[in-house]
């Protein structure tokens, strides 16, 4: 664990203080106990606190942005041409006014990266293609550019997955995929069991000249998420006809399915000459082997019944003003992911994508119940057919006791910036809400009216105690305009007259998630939440994962919790019918000609529920011609939680 290394490196410090499960020093809690906490007045949507006269300001469409360093020079964005405070610009070189402009820029043309991605070419920068609106504008330039981008995006679509194959990608680079058990919210995440290499299945035989569809038995050679590399029985060490397929696909069956369904088992034409008695060969090979549960396909099908339905109304974060929520209506559900359309959108294009377990959506009335800002809809009554989502369908948060020592306004902490998820920033608690919810602001870059405050629960894995980044060797982003670098928390707390939020109030739970550095997966680009991309885990800090989007630069990496519903196993998009964004460098190079011999189908099916271990008994029967059927016997052995069924020869 990286944390162990970090603790060793810090063991020589002169101040030896007790550490908790964060690897944190408790000493930060009391370093400024005698100082007064910075005051923060409660701001309503209608009332805006007066601005200090010594701060430079930028106004745009009624929003006011302030920057603490009045001596900072000015800079011009190389993408959109807007002029702004240099210190507030994005990236170390200060060439762009925002993440959006940085992503959209290329050396050949300002629009080259967008056009290249739409045309399926490998761009040099990661372009924002589908996001019609920014989450919130931190600069006037950001808002202006996004307005232009919105008009362009209406006629554009995501990059096609044409030519990309997970199997080829993993085989050619010897990659390892995160196991399905790492994703508790995903199909089969809690009941994957012992599905592993050497499990046998019955699959269509594509190496056959017969006019009808026939099957043969294959074994799993390698697993990559839901995808399995299969090899027909009889090929031994010959990988010539190996093929990839989704283990939850409709053509994958447990051994014995052909016998029960009256389907013929026919050996591949390439190896028909190897044995004269194929039946005896299979009996010998399958004795003691494992296969899938007999009700596997049924469980997969049943798990596709998601509780969220179109026309349900929810409260969801306002992507233009993170500090408030709005009413939205479920437009569609794909694999548990919701396309939400804001209720006031007349043309139904003002949408927001998230998973049904996302902490960004809530039941109608949630905002009022905890004191969160809420934008009232101009629609006075529900539209026909729309109805409120039952509260019990939403993800539950852990109950907390706010009666004792608790978070207070003005306390300092570290938090993932929701507008730039590659950074962990110096932050302040701006308001304490009910039920354990907090309004957080990023120091040095907040809008004066608090429109870019964001709501995190006290147990959120996206907020950390003061010193977390230092202890775990993560670069902490200081407040914009702060000149005393390198940043030191002790100095900053004294200068601002603030105190650190007590370490003991933060979530210390670290599940045994199973992720390892280098594992491949499919991940939502949370800056463009409609896109799901090929990604890699590049760093692990306790339960925090650094997600890298393959083919893109590291500056677009995102910090994500290990239990985030925005992470999925390899093959999830194929399973649910969602579109996968391939790596930028692969989009024009991968060829379908090298893809699996087995034709793969995207199935909207998932699996959940417990599995049982069963013994399959192979009974010898005389079969005419080349067709071999093996009957499935009764179960005589059970073991809770196992995903496989053992095959033994009948005495």
């Amino acid at each position: 664990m990286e944390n162990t290394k970090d603790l060793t490196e810090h063991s020589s410090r002169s101040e030896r203080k007790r550490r908790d499960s964060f690897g944190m020093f408790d000493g930060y809690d009391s370093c400024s106990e005698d100082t007064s906490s910075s005051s923060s007045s409660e701001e309503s949507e209608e009332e805006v606190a007066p601005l200090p006269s010594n701060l430079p300001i930028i106004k745009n469409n009624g929003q006011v942005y302030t920057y603490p360093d009045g001596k900072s020079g000015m800079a011009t964005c190389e993408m959109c041409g807007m002029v702004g405070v240099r210190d507030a610009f994005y990236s170390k070189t200060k060439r762009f006014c925002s993440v959006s402009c940085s992503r959209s820029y290329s050396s050949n043309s300002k629009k080259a990266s967008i056009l290249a991605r739409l045309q399926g070419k490998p761009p040099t920068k990661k372009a924002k293609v589908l996001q019609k609106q920014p989450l919130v504008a931190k600069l006037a330039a950001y808002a202006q550019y996004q307005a232009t981008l919105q008009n362009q995006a209406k006629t554009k679509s995501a990059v096609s997955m044409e030519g990309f194959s997970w199997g080829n990608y993993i085989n050619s680079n010897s990659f390892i995929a995160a196991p399905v058990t790492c994703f508790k919210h995903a199909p089969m995440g809690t009941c994957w069991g012992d599905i592993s290499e050497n499990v046998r299945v019955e699959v269509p035989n594509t190496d056959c000249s017969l006019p009808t569809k026939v099957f043969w038995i294959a074994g799993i050679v390698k697993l990559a998420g839901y995808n399995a590399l299969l090899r027909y029985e009889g090929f031994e060490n010959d990988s010539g006809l190996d093929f990839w397929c989704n283990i939850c696909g409709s053509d994958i069956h447990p051994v014995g399915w052909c016998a029960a369904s009256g389907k013929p088992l026919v050996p591949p034409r390439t190896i028909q000459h190897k044995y004269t008695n194929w039946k005896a060969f299979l009996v010998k090979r399958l004795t003691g082997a494992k296969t899938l549960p007999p009700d596997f396909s049924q469980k997969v099908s049943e798990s596709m019944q998601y509780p969220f339905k179109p026309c349900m109304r929810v409260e969801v974060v306002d992507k233009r003003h993170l500090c408030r929520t709005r009413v939205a209506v479920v437009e569609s559900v794909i694999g548990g992911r919701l396309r939400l359309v804001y209720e006031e959108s007349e043309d139904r294009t003002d949408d927001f994508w998230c998973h049904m377990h996302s902490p960004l959506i809530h039941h109608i009335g949630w905002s009022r119940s905890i004191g969160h800002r809420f934008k009232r809809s101009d629609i006075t009554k529900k539209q026909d057919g729309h109805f409120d989502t039952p509260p019990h369908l939403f993800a539950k948060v852990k109950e907390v006791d706010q009666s004792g020592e608790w978070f207070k306004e003005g306390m300092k902490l570290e938090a993932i910036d929701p507008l730039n998820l590659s950074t962990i920033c110096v932050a302040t608690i701006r308001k304490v809400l009910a039920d354990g919810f907090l309004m957080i602001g990023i120091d040095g870059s907040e809008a004066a009216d608090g429109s870019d405050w964001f709501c995190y629960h006290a147990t959120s894995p996206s907020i950390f105690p003061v010193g977390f980044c230092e202890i775990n060797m993560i670069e902490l982003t200081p407040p914009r305009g702060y000149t005393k670098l390198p940043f030191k928390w002790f100095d900053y707390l004294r200068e601002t007259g603030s105190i650190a939020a007590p370490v003991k109030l933060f979530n210390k739970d670290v599940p045994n998630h199973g992720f390892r550095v280098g594992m491949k997966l499919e991940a939502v680009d949370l800056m463009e939440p409609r896109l799901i991309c090929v990604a890699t885990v590049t760093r692990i800090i306790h339960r925090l994962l650094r997600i890298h989007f393959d083919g893109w630069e590291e500056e677009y990496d995102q910090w994500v919790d290990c239990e985030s519903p925005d992470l999925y196993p390899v093959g999830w998009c194929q399973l649910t019918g969602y579109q996968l964004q391939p790596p930028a460098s692969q989009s024009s190079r991968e060829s379908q000609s090298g893809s699996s011999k087995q034709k793969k189908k995207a199935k909207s099916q998932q699996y959940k529920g417990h599995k049982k271990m069963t013994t399959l008994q192979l009974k010898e029967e005389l079969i005419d011609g080349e067709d071999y059927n093996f009957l499935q016997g009764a179960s005589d052995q059970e073991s809770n939680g196992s995903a496989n069924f053992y095959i033994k020869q009948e005495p």
Side-chain angles (χ1 to χ4, degrees):
M1 292 291 292
E2 294 189 35
N3 186 42
T4 302
K5 179 181 177 182
D6 297 333
L7 292 177
T8 302
E9 293 175 352
H10 287 77
S11 61
S12 61
R13 294 188 177 188
S14 58
E15 294 182 7
R16 298 181 181 276
K17 299 180 181 289
R18 182 175 57 86
R19 304 169 189 258
D20 63 7
S21 61
F22 274 114
M24 294 295 306
F25 288 108
D26 283 341
Y28 281 117
D29 291 350
S30 57
C31 70
S32 301
E33 285 181 355
D34 296 332
T35 62
S36 60
S37 61
S38 60
S39 61
S40 175
S41 60
E42 294 187 5
E43 296 176 290
S44 65
E45 277 190 73
E46 294 75 25
E47 296 181 357
V48 179
L51 298 174
S53 59
N54 62 332
L55 295 182
I57 62 173
I58 295 179
K59 295 184 178 181
N60 181 67
N61 297 329
Q63 283 190 297
V64 182
Y65 305 91
T66 67
Y67 303 95
D69 183 9
K71 298 181 181 180
S72 294
M74 305 300 287
T76 302
C77 178
E78 295 183 21
M79 174 63 205
C80 66
M82 292 299 297
V83 178
V85 180
R86 178 181 177 81
D87 195 62
F89 270 40
Y90 179 74
S91 80
K92 295 180 180 179
T93 58
K94 308 300 181 185
R95 297 170 59 196
F96 308 103
C97 65
S98 65
V99 178
S100 174
C101 284
S102 175
R103 291 187 177 193
S104 303
Y105 182 87
S106 72
S107 58
N108 296 326
S109 169
K110 292 179 180 180
K111 296 182 179 179
S113 58
I114 294 177
L115 295 176
R117 196 159 179 190
L118 292 171
Q119 295 168 2
K121 300 176 182 178
T124 57
K125 297 286 185 179
K126 191 174 184 183
K128 293 177 78 70
V129 179
L130 287 172
Q131 185 172 334
K132 299 182 177 66
Q133 299 285 351
L135 289 174
V136 67
K138 283 191 173 180
L139 289 171
Y142 196 129
Q144 180 170 334
Y145 173 70
Q146 283 297 136
T148 303
L149 186 62
Q150 177 183 4
N151 295 329
Q152 296 175 344
K154 289 181 179 179
T155 58
K156 294 176 172 60
S157 58
V159 178
S160 172
M161 190 183 165
E162 190 76 18
F164 177 75
S165 164
W166 261 122
N168 291 343
Y169 190 54
I170 289 176
N171 274 349
S172 60
N173 298 280
S174 299
F175 290 141
I176 297 176
V180 175
T181 52
C182 290
F183 310 87
K184 304 304 181 186
H185 60 282
M188 300 178 69
T190 58
C191 52
W192 186 252
D194 295 331
I195 297 179
S196 59
E197 296 178 5
N198 297 320
V199 166
R200 305 305 207 281
V201 292
E202 293 181 351
V203 295
N205 179 4
T206 57
D207 183 27
C208 182
S209 58
L210 296 178
T212 59
K213 187 175 183 179
V214 295
F215 293 79
W216 189 241
I217 295 173
I220 297 178
V221 177
K222 185 176 182 178
L223 268 179
Y226 294 116
N227 293 346
L229 180 64
L230 299 180
R231 180 175 300 169
Y232 289 122
E233 283 294 337
F235 275 82
E236 308 299 338
N237 296 322
D238 182 2
S239 60
L241 284 185
D242 287 2
F243 58 94
W244 285 90
C245 68
N246 196 302
I247 205 71
C248 297
S250 59
D251 276 335
I252 310 299
H253 307 282
V255 172
W257 176 85
C258 284
S261 305
K263 303 293 183 181
L265 282 173
V266 178
R269 179 174 51 184
T270 304
I271 58 172
Q272 275 186 349
H273 64 281
K274 291 184 66 175
Y275 300 97
T276 57
N277 189 343
W278 279 101
K279 183 186 204 178
F281 166 80
L282 286 183
V283 170
K284 180 178 179 180
R285 290 285 296 173
L286 297 180
T287 298
K290 296 184 290 185
T291 188
L292 302 175
D295 59 348
F296 185 81
S297 61
Q298 179 183 350
K299 292 292 186 181
V300 170
S301 179
E302 290 175 353
S303 65
M304 280 303 299
Q305 304 304 314
Y306 296 105
F308 281 79
K309 307 296 180 184
C311 297
M312 283 185 170
R313 300 170 76 239
V314 301
E315 288 186 9
V316 63
V317 65
D318 186 339
K319 63 185 180 183
R320 297 179 189 84
H321 300 277
L322 294 183
C323 67
R324 68 187 184 190
T325 58
R326 298 172 60 184
V327 173
V329 179
V330 177
E331 179 75 11
S332 60
V333 183
I334 303 178
R337 291 188 59 77
L338 312 177
R339 179 178 180 256
L340 303 172
V341 176
Y342 290 112
E343 198 168 48
E344 295 176 294
S345 176
E346 295 181 357
D347 58 0
R348 308 192 71 76
T349 59
D350 190 6
D351 60 1
F352 185 82
W353 283 84
C354 67
H355 192 271
M356 63 182 183
H357 293 153
S358 169
L360 300 178
I361 60 172
H362 310 277
H363 62 86
I364 298 297
W366 173 84
S367 298
R368 179 190 295 271
S369 68
I370 70 162
H372 193 283
R373 286 189 184 182
F374 176 76
K375 181 184 178 183
R376 292 181 177 84
S377 174
D378 294 335
I379 300 176
T380 57
K381 63 178 181 179
K382 300 177 188 176
Q383 298 184 19
D384 292 341
H386 293 178
F387 58 100
D388 295 350
T389 306
H392 71 272
L393 296 185
F394 296 88
K396 302 295 188 297
V397 293
K398 184 178 179 180
E399 293 185 3
V400 294
D401 181 11
Q402 298 183 224
S403 60
E405 185 177 9
W406 192 243
F407 293 99
K408 296 179 181 179
E409 292 182 18
M411 282 183 172
K412 299 294 183 180
L413 69 163
E414 298 174 5
I416 297 176
D417 185 350
L419 303 177
N420 185 4
L421 295 165
S422 66
T423 62
I424 299 179
C425 304
V426 174
T428 304
I429 297 174
R430 293 304 182 187
K431 191 174 182 180
V432 178
L433 308 179
D435 295 342
F437 288 95
L438 309 170
M439 296 302 296
I440 307 292
I442 300 297
D443 284 22
S445 60
E446 298 176 65
D449 61 354
S451 61
D452 58 355
W453 294 354
F454 47 96
C455 184
Y456 278 143
H457 193 264
T459 60
S460 170
S462 297
I463 59 174
F464 316 97
V466 162
F468 174 84
C469 286
E470 180 183 359
I471 295 296
N472 293 288
M473 305 297 290
I474 301 173
E475 182 180 358
L476 175 67
T477 302
R480 282 178 175 165
Y482 189 76
T483 57
K484 296 184 63 175
L485 301 177
F487 178 86
K488 298 294 183 182
W489 263 115
F490 283 112
D491 296 337
Y492 186 69
L493 290 174
R494 292 191 186 100
E495 292 168 6
T496 58
S498 306
I499 63 173
V503 173
K504 63 184 179 181
L505 298 182
F506 291 84
N507 181 9
K508 303 179 182 65
D509 296 336
V510 180
N512 184 19
H513 47 70
F515 286 103
R516 298 292 180 268
V517 171
M519 284 183 171
K520 297 294 179 182
L521 69 162
E522 299 176 3
V524 175
D525 181 350
L526 294 171
M527 299 306 294
E528 301 175 49
R530 185 176 176 182
L531 301 181
I532 296 183
C533 311
V534 173
T536 307
V537 177
T538 58
R539 194 175 179 191
I540 302 174
I541 305 294
H542 305 297
R543 62 182 300 148
L544 196 62
L545 309 180
R546 181 80 170 180
I547 300 299
H548 173 74
F549 297 105
D550 290 19
W552 303 116
E553 298 169 354
E554 291 184 2
E555 61 185 301
Y556 307 118
D557 292 359
Q558 297 177 1
W559 288 109
V560 180
D561 182 60
C562 64
E563 294 183 342
S564 169
D566 295 307
L567 302 178
Y568 305 99
V570 166
W572 181 89
C573 284
Q574 181 191 9
L575 176 65
T576 61
Y578 206 97
Q579 183 172 338
L580 176 68
Q581 300 299 302
S585 59
Q586 295 287 325
S587 58
S588 61
R589 295 193 300 169
E590 288 287 336
S591 173
Q592 276 191 325
S593 61
S595 62
S596 64
K597 303 293 187 300
Q598 179 82 0
K599 185 177 180 181
K600 296 185 281 288
K601 298 181 180 180
K603 287 287 293 178
S604 296
Q605 293 183 334
Q606 299 185 1
Y607 180 90
K608 66 181 180 180
H610 297 289
K611 300 178 182 178
K612 297 179 180 178
M613 183 179 296
T614 300
T615 300
L616 299 182
Q617 300 177 339
L618 299 178
K619 300 183 178 180
E620 295 191 5
E621 295 183 359
L622 295 176
I623 307 296
D624 294 333
E626 296 178 339
D627 298 347
Y628 298 88
N629 292 273
F630 294 86
L631 301 179
Q632 179 175 319
S635 171
D636 64 2
Q637 182 180 0
E638 287 191 7
S639 177
N640 292 334
S642 174
N644 299 301
F645 291 78
Y646 288 82
I647 305 168
K648 69 178 182 180
Q649 187 173 3
E650 197 175 25

